[in-house]
Amino acid sequence: MAKIRVRRETGTLFLDFQYRGARCREQTALPDTPGNRKVLESLAKRIEKAILKGNFTYAEFFPDSPRAKEGGDPGTAAPGSPAKGDHPTPTFAEFAELWVIESGPRWRAQYRTEVRKTLDAIILPGLGDKPLATIDRGHLLGFQAQIAKRRGRSGETVSARRINKVMGLVKTILNEGCDRHGLQSPARTLKRLKQGRTEVMPFSLEEVELLIARVREDYRPYLTVRLLTGLRTGEADGLQWEDIDFAAGVFRVERTHSRNGDGGTKTDGSRRTIPMVPQVRAAFETQRTRAVDGCPWVFHSQYGNPMDAVNFTNRIWYPLLRNLGLKQRPPYQMRHTAATLMLAAGENPEWVANVLGHSTTEMLFRVYSRFVPNLTRNDGLAFAGLVNGHLGKRAVEATASKSAPPTDNAAALAALQSLSPEQLATLLTLAKKAS
């Protein structure tokens, strides 16, 4: 998408747009005025339209530009580059720009920013100049291998999860582009890399108590709410006082907040109403006494600004874990902690899923089952107790009516049948010792 920008040194306007995977900036001598901006906006629309149709001629729009002379014009392509007639379909970069324009209104601001960064930094430099019709499975595998060699912030190579995320974006764009131009997309046969299992390191109830007791006092309500409700970081940071209903004893999750500003929830199902347990209610009431006039957010800085997730993580969270001697883990583990505590307490999984903002219970059993004793026992004792409790008496009565044993024997048999497997094992052990 072509943008109108201002050159700081001169105060004049210039056009900034993507063409064949490259960033193009064409200067003008026009000062920054509303009238000049309208002129350039009209020119920008014409450029976008020509690029999408595949008939953009660089020299036609910018005859004095060095790019027109160096091969930026498809009609005067540099040696080794494809000629205009060789690819009737747009390049990956050209279609990607159209796809972003069409899809952008459906995205949250944070996701829109993330897509833009991924396209500009990774995808377009690798695939942007290739026409859709020329991209094959080999290109995609080679591009995927290039991503795998990249280094992350910690200096290590990027994870399989990150690679799959980037390739998922490539697949979506390529599939849509090929469908529109009657092509068979090579991305549909590309398999995802195997990812490691989601690392879940919840805190125990004793550790939760310790975290709340030892955190800085001004962050104690924030930690209490996150540890006992399972709110995502953006959901907790986006809470506003209008979302808290003390009379009904509930609060609503309506939005998220990040460094990119306020945004919608992750999914429609993430908008939900959560009941307040006494500790959470007390945390909100304590936080209300610290409210800053004119500040809509529940959790905020001392100056009334919304929470900064990065600042909290680096200055509060990790130092707290080190001080307590607990294994380092990201703040998101507070969400896992709430989930495991709710399930271990015997709450209905559907209720837990609703509190966490999941549409189904599938993720609960897939991710948290090994942390909940009642969900992981495999000795059959629970089933044996259920069957014995409901069917034992009937079996005894049926036996008594057929064989008519003495009344005392029937009563003794019924008593034995009513015992749990553990009690029966203990009784047999005592009997052996006595004999």
Side-chain angles (χ1 to χ4, degrees):
M1 181 177 180
K3 297 180 179 179
I4 314 300
R5 302 189 186 278
V6 182
R7 188 178 180 86
R8 292 183 180 179
E9 298 83 355
T10 62
T12 56
L13 300 174
F14 68 92
L15 280 170
D16 188 349
F17 61 98
Q18 289 278 341
Y19 178 56
R20 287 188 170 180
R23 185 180 183 183
C24 303
R25 282 169 285 194
E26 293 297 335
Q27 309 293 332
T28 75
L30 301 175
D32 184 12
T33 64
N36 289 336
R37 279 185 171 271
K38 287 185 178 180
V39 172
L40 286 188
E41 286 172 1
S42 176
L43 176 61
K45 291 179 181 179
R46 287 171 52 209
I47 291 174
E48 291 174 6
K49 187 175 181 180
I51 290 176
L52 294 177
K53 288 185 175 181
N55 57 10
F56 176 76
T57 305
Y58 215 98
E60 178 184 344
F61 285 88
F62 307 103
D64 298 327
S65 172
R67 284 186 177 275
K69 302 174 183 178
E70 295 172 0
D73 178 5
T76 59
S81 62
K84 180 178 179 180
D86 292 339
H87 52 90
T89 58
T91 63
F92 186 94
E94 291 166 351
F95 183 78
E97 296 302 328
L98 173 63
W99 178 79
V100 169
I101 293 173
E102 294 177 342
S103 305
R106 304 195 306 268
W107 299 338
R108 293 186 297 165
Q110 184 175 358
Y111 182 70
R112 191 181 302 114
T113 301
E114 182 181 344
V115 169
R116 187 72 264 172
K117 287 182 178 179
T118 303
L119 282 172
D120 292 341
I122 303 176
I123 298 177
L124 295 185
L127 296 172
D129 62 342
K130 293 178 173 56
L132 296 180
T134 65
I135 298 177
D136 57 24
R137 182 180 173 85
H139 287 128
L140 297 179
L141 291 174
F143 175 68
Q144 183 173 266
Q146 290 179 2
I147 301 175
K149 295 178 182 178
R150 295 174 66 93
R151 297 284 176 178
R153 294 179 181 176
S154 61
E156 300 179 354
T157 54
V158 296
S159 64
R161 180 179 180 181
R162 174 59 176 161
I163 296 174
N164 286 337
K165 197 169 185 179
V166 173
M167 293 306 297
L169 190 55
V170 172
K171 290 179 184 179
T172 301
I173 297 172
L174 191 57
N175 289 343
E176 180 67 23
C178 289
D179 288 346
R180 293 193 187 187
H181 292 85
L183 302 173
Q184 186 70 27
S185 173
R188 289 196 168 91
T189 61
L190 204 64
K191 294 183 179 179
R192 292 168 57 87
L193 298 181
K194 186 176 181 180
Q195 298 180 194
R197 189 170 184 175
T198 302
E199 189 174 13
V200 178
M201 296 186 294
F203 297 99
S204 66
L205 197 55
E206 291 74 16
E207 291 172 334
V208 168
E209 185 178 7
L210 190 61
L211 286 166
I212 294 175
R214 296 283 290 275
V215 72
R216 251 173 55 176
E217 184 179 355
D218 51 335
Y219 280 93
R220 190 165 296 150
Y222 180 71
L223 224 64
T224 300
V225 171
R226 292 200 60 178
L227 283 164
L228 300 184
T229 64
L231 290 179
R232 300 178 178 93
T233 301
E235 294 172 345
D237 296 351
L239 279 178
Q240 296 188 7
W241 286 115
E242 64 182 25
D243 305 325
I244 314 300
D245 189 342
F246 286 103
V250 299
F251 66 95
R252 296 178 299 277
V253 177
E254 299 286 348
R255 71 192 65 78
T256 60
H257 181 84
S258 69
R259 286 187 167 185
N260 295 319
D262 288 343
T265 55
K266 184 176 181 181
T267 63
D268 289 340
S270 296
R271 297 184 62 182
R272 59 200 186 276
T273 300
I274 301 177
M276 292 188 284
V277 297
Q279 292 80 1
V280 171
R281 183 187 183 92
F284 280 133
E285 290 175 342
T286 299
Q287 188 65 17
R288 186 165 57 173
T289 64
R290 303 169 181 167
V292 176
D293 290 340
C295 177
W297 292 286
V298 175
F299 301 111
H300 51 77
S301 70
Q302 59 180 327
Y303 303 108
N305 297 318
M307 288 284 291
D308 186 299
V310 177
N311 181 65
F312 165 76
T313 301
N314 295 331
R315 298 186 60 187
I316 304 297
W317 179 251
Y318 285 141
L320 175 63
L321 296 185
R322 288 194 294 269
N323 181 263
L324 297 177
L326 297 176
K327 185 176 181 180
Q328 181 168 302
R329 66 202 80 176
Y332 197 85
Q333 295 296 335
M334 288 191 279
R335 177 171 170 82
H336 294 320
T337 297
T340 56
L341 291 179
M342 292 175 192
L343 290 170
E347 293 290 355
N348 187 321
E350 291 187 0
W351 181 85
V352 176
N354 180 67
V355 169
L356 295 177
H358 295 313
S359 57
T360 68
T361 59
E362 177 185 356
M363 186 176 182
L364 294 180
F365 294 108
R366 177 165 50 85
V367 177
Y368 304 120
S369 61
R370 65 185 185 278
F371 295 98
V372 186
N374 289 338
L375 295 179
T376 57
R377 64 184 303 170
N378 56 7
D379 52 15
L381 294 180
F383 177 69
L386 175 67
V387 173
N388 182 62
H390 285 74
L391 302 181
K393 184 176 181 180
R394 295 182 182 179
V396 171
E397 291 175 350
T399 304
S401 63
K402 290 182 179 179
S403 56
T407 304
D408 293 342
N409 291 343
L413 183 59
L416 288 174
Q417 289 284 356
S418 64
L419 295 177
S420 68
E422 295 91 339
Q423 292 172 327
L424 186 58
T426 303
L427 184 61
L428 290 175
T429 301
L430 294 175
K432 288 181 180 179
K433 291 183 179 180
S435 61

